[in-house]
């Protein structure tokens, strides 16, 4: 059984701890919430436990359908044991419906159902606000190999197909989401978390927002939205 070792990193939403096994780390999920590149800060009560439970459940579902993830075991309410990754400094976004950054970038309204999913690479840099980049930028700067990009692209589309269907059965449209991948023993694994912090969830029919946009946009009932999503995922 893994026990807490030294703190390796404290991020905006999670803390990473070492374990006695150098191949494994613990993700500790905090209630801290940030938005707009950490210009807006707050806490969402029980968010850490909620995101840990939802992510643990979804990672197991994805593993079972052939997407390799870092997930090993949920250790407690807020702790997840994961395989240690060398994180690829890219954030993948897949969009099924326009919202957020894409609506802003292209000057279009939110809520347009896209004719096909839109795949985006963002360079993982808080200082730069995670800018949109393309394959050429990544290959020219040796951020990842072309094989890795191909693997990440295929896995991300599989995640989108799986999760879109899973949430649709629960009355939710998966609008968009962000994924992170890393290298472990020469293999690309899905890492980080999948939660209302990293996905946009709209209730089908009403388009009621059930994700971090309630915090970003001061819409109220933030905690209730996270709990409702956890309930729907586990049902
Ligand atoms: P941020 O770094 O953006 O503030 P978090 O607070 O969520 O984000 O911190 C979690 C950090 O851990 C992220 O930088 C993420 O890339 C990294 N990470 C996620 N999964 C793993 C893993 N399995 N091994 C190592 N690092 C990971
Ligand atoms: N996202 C994320 N972390 C980030 C940026 C985006 O988890 O640093 C998620 C966000 O919650 C949404 C999707 O990625 O589900 C697309 O976000 P977008 O690019 O529209 O940016 P935002 O509107 O969050 O600025």
């Amino acid at each position: 059984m893994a026990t807490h070792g030294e703190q390796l990193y404290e991020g905006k939403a999670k803390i990473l701890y070492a374990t006695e096994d150098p191949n494994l780390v613990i993700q500790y999920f905090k209630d801290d919430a940030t938005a707009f590149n950490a210009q807006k800060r707050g806490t969402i009560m029980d968010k850490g436990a909620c995101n840990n439970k939802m992510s643990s459940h979804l990672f197991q579902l994805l593993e079972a359908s052939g997407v390799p993830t870092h997930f090993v075991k949920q250790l407690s309410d807020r702790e997840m044991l994961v395989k240690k990754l060398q994180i690829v400094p890219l954030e993948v976004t897949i969009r099924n419906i326009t919202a957020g950054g894409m609506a802003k970038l292209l000057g279009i309204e939110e809520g347009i159902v896209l004719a096909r999913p839109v795949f985006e690479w963002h360079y993982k840099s808080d200082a730069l606000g995670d800018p949109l980049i393309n394959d050429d930028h990544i290959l020219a700067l040796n951020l990842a190999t072309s094989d890795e990009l191909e693997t990440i692209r295929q896995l991300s589309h599989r995640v989108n197909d799986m999760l879109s269907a899973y949430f649709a059965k629960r009355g939710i449209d998966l609008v968009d989401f962000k994924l992170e991948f890393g290298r472990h023993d020469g293999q690309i694994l899905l890492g980080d978390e999948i939660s209302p912090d990293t996905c946009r969830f709209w209730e089908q029919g009403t388009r009621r927002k059930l994700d971090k946009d309630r915090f970003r946009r001061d819409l109220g009932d933030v905690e209730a939205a996270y709990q409702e999503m956890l309930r729907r995922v586990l049902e």
Side-chain angles (χ1 to χ4, degrees):
M1 161 81 181
T3 51
H4 266 199
E6 60 164 323
Q7 182 176 314
L8 298 175
Y9 174 81
E10 175 156 14
K12 299 185 289 291
K14 298 190 288 299
I15 303 173
L16 293 186
Y17 293 100
T19 67
E20 58 243 358
D21 182 340
N23 288 311
L24 301 176
V25 294
I26 293 170
Q27 292 200 110
Y28 176 92
F29 287 73
K30 304 191 283 182
D31 286 350
D32 299 354
T34 61
F36 311 118
N37 207 11
Q39 289 174 55
K40 182 180 170 81
R41 288 171 185 275
T43 50
I44 300 172
M45 217 207 341
D46 292 335
K47 174 172 83 76
C50 172
N51 287 2
N52 185 26
K53 285 177 205 159
M54 189 184 298
S55 295
S56 295
H57 185 85
L58 295 175
F59 281 138
Q60 289 173 81
L61 187 89
L62 291 168
E63 280 279 355
S65 31
V67 175
T69 80
H70 68 164
F71 181 82
V72 176
K73 190 175 180 224
Q74 192 190 318
L75 294 176
S76 69
D77 251 21
R78 289 172 184 272
E79 293 167 311
M80 185 195 290
L81 184 66
V82 296
K83 294 175 186 162
K84 185 173 188 176
L85 299 178
Q86 182 198 13
I87 291 284
V88 176
L90 300 170
E91 295 192 351
V92 167
T93 300
I94 293 198
R95 303 174 186 278
N96 299 304
I97 299 178
T98 60
M102 181 177 171
K104 195 164 173 212
L105 180 74
L106 300 177
I108 51 178
E109 62 185 298
E110 296 197 311
I112 301 168
V113 177
L114 294 159
R116 49 178 268 177
V118 170
F119 180 100
E120 295 172 358
W121 301 110
H122 292 257
Y123 179 47
K124 194 169 151 58
S125 161
D126 283 343
L128 300 174
D130 301 336
L132 190 63
I133 58 174
N134 68 26
D135 291 57
D136 279 349
H137 293 115
I138 297 167
L139 296 173
L141 294 171
N142 290 315
L143 300 179
T145 67
S146 53
D147 280 356
E148 287 174 334
L149 294 193
E150 196 43 41
T151 301
I152 292 173
R153 190 189 302 273
Q154 281 181 17
L155 292 174
S156 300
H157 280 293
R158 203 179 306 165
V159 170
N160 186 40
D161 292 345
M162 285 288 315
L163 294 188
S164 292
Y166 187 81
F167 284 109
K169 275 193 215 137
R170 288 159 177 78
I172 297 293
D173 281 329
L174 179 60
V175 172
D176 59 30
F177 58 92
K178 181 270 294 181
L179 301 175
E180 294 184 30
F181 292 85
R183 308 174 181 103
H184 180 90
D185 262 353
Q187 206 195 353
I188 289 286
L189 304 181
L190 176 61
D192 208 56
E193 68 179 290
I194 304 176
S195 72
D197 273 10
T198 63
C199 305
R200 285 195 171 91
F201 297 124
W202 291 358
E203 185 178 51
Q204 285 177 352
T206 66
R207 293 199 155 178
R208 183 162 60 100
K209 292 178 178 30
L210 290 169
D211 56 61
K212 198 165 121 182
D213 271 347
R214 300 206 75 83
F215 168 77
R216 291 190 189 95
R217 303 178 189 192
D218 296 318
L219 299 176
D221 297 328
V222 185
E223 282 85 3
Y226 277 69
Q227 293 305 327
E228 178 170 347
M229 279 311 305
L230 178 60
R231 205 163 55 239
R232 290 197 190 217
V233 163
L234 298 181
E235 78 191 13

